């Protein structure tokens, strides 16, 4: 084998190796981002649940409408901190949302019933929410 062929083979090998390492790295970064998004969502849900239950314990019984109004205020406050969330009941009816027009409607954009399964067994699942004018959604 000539020296030029050895050099070309070596360069091609390095280019192939660099491309492979880059693809693996990009895939790992995507997986880490998804994991962190899910962890953040679980943390926000836990905190919201804590504060809602604490509020219910510390105050006298209020009407359902007053409790839902307070829940909506909490959702709007979290939305100001760049959090997009919906709160649903066991039947997946939206009780509070950053989009007020969606309140009272049924949550139907969990394509594989991720929310229904989570309500049933309590195991958090990632859900891809569709975004208008795009093929991709977001967590």
């Amino acid at each position: 084998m000539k020296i030029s062929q050895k050099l070309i083979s070596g360069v091609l090998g390095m280019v192939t190796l660099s491309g492979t390492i880059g693809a693996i790295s990009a895939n790992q970064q995507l997986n880490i981002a998804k994991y962190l998004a899910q962890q953040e969502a679980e943390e926000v849900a836990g905190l919201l649940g804590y504060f809602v239950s604490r509020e219910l314990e510390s105050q006298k019984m209020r009407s359902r409408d007053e409790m839902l109004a307070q829940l909506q205020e909490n959702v709007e406050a979290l939305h100001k901190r760049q959090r997009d969330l919906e709160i649903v009941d066991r039947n997946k009816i939206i009780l509070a949302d950053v989009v007020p027009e969606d309140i009272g409607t049924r949550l139907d954009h969990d394509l594989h019933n991720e929310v229904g399964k989570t309500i049933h067994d309590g195991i958090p699942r990632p859900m891809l929410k569709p975004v208008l004018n795009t093929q991709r959604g977001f967590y």
Side-chain angles (χ1 to χ4, degrees):
M1 188 184 262
K2 294 183 181 179
I3 190 78
S4 62
Q5 290 176 333
K6 289 180 180 179
L7 287 173
I8 291 173
S9 296
V11 169
L12 287 176
M14 289 179 7
V15 168
T16 303
L17 183 61
S18 295
T20 303
I21 290 172
I24 291 170
S25 175
N27 186 40
Q28 280 198 313
Q29 286 180 352
L30 179 63
N31 289 338
I32 289 169
K34 287 179 180 180
Y35 174 78
L36 291 175
Q38 184 172 353
Q39 290 299 108
E40 176 68 12
E42 289 177 26
E43 186 70 24
V44 169
L47 286 172
L48 188 60
Y50 170 79
F51 285 119
V52 167
S53 65
R54 184 176 167 100
E55 189 174 299
L56 289 174
E57 289 173 1
S58 68
Q59 296 182 3
K60 61 183 177 189
M61 290 300 292
R62 298 185 296 175
S63 72
R64 174 178 163 82
D65 291 338
E66 289 174 331
M67 287 190 288
L68 291 177
Q70 182 63 45
L71 197 58
Q72 181 64 24
E73 286 178 25
N74 291 337
V75 167
E76 290 171 1
L78 286 169
H79 183 60
K80 289 177 184 174
R81 296 184 175 267
Q82 306 299 315
R83 301 294 187 268
D84 181 18
L85 60 122
E86 299 167 321
I87 298 177
V88 297
D89 66 7
R90 292 192 178 275
N91 298 316
K92 295 184 5 179
I93 302 299
I94 299 172
L95 302 176
D97 194 348
V98 297
V99 181
E101 299 83 38
D102 290 347
I103 296 173
T105 62
R106 184 170 170 78
L107 178 84
D108 58 1
H109 54 261
D110 59 335
L111 303 176
H112 303 290
N113 194 29
E114 296 93 343
V115 175
K117 290 175 185 175
T118 297
I119 290 171
H120 178 72
D121 62 17
I123 299 171
R125 292 172 176 80
M127 181 184 86
L128 197 61
K129 183 176 179 181
V131 180
L132 296 177
N133 301 326
T134 181
Q135 294 291 335
R136 300 174 61 174
F138 63 92
Y139 279 94

